[in-house]
């Protein structure tokens, strides 16, 4: 899957790289930074306009979203090497 933030619509486009199907998933306000998780159909999106991060997990063509708070001014995402 390919994950693309759309900050003007507060969504992330989740694109199936095999079928090219696109799912628009609502996240927090003004999603900007996107980080994919190696070896998984998952991504973390930093929502700059709502001080949250959304965790997207895709399985069987459907994406679920979990949202967690961050701190004001967060502008980057990093994962530990072990995920």
């Amino acid at each position: 899957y390919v994950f693309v933030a759309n900050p003007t619509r507060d969504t992330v486009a989740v694109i199936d790289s095999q079928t090219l199907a696109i799912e628009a998933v609502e996240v927090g306000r003004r999603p900007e930074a996107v980080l994919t998780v190696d070896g998984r159909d998952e991504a973390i999106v930093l929502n700059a306009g709502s001080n949250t991060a959304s965790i997207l997990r895709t399985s069987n063509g459907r994406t679920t979203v979990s949202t967690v708070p961050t701190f004001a001014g967060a502008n980057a995402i990093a994962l530990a090497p072990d995920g």
Side-chain angles (χ1 to χ4, degrees), residues 22-83:
I22 301 172
E23 177 185 13
V25 178
E26 291 185 18
V27 293
R29 288 191 356 249
R30 213 167 27 114
E32 292 182 355
V34 178
L35 177 69
T36 57
V37 179
D38 286 343
R40 297 181 174 183
D41 293 328
E42 299 179 7
I44 302 169
V45 180
L46 188 60
N47 304 307
S50 58
N51 300 324
T52 61
S54 296
I55 302 162
L56 289 75
R57 293 180 174 98
T58 301
S59 178
N60 298 322
R62 288 297 208 203
T63 303
T64 59
V65 179
S66 301
T67 302
V68 296
T70 62
F71 57 90
N75 63 4
I77 305 168
L79 282 178
D82 63 357

Side-chain angles (χ1 to χ4, degrees), residues 1 6 19 24 54:
Y1 290 89
N6 185 341
T19 67
S54 296

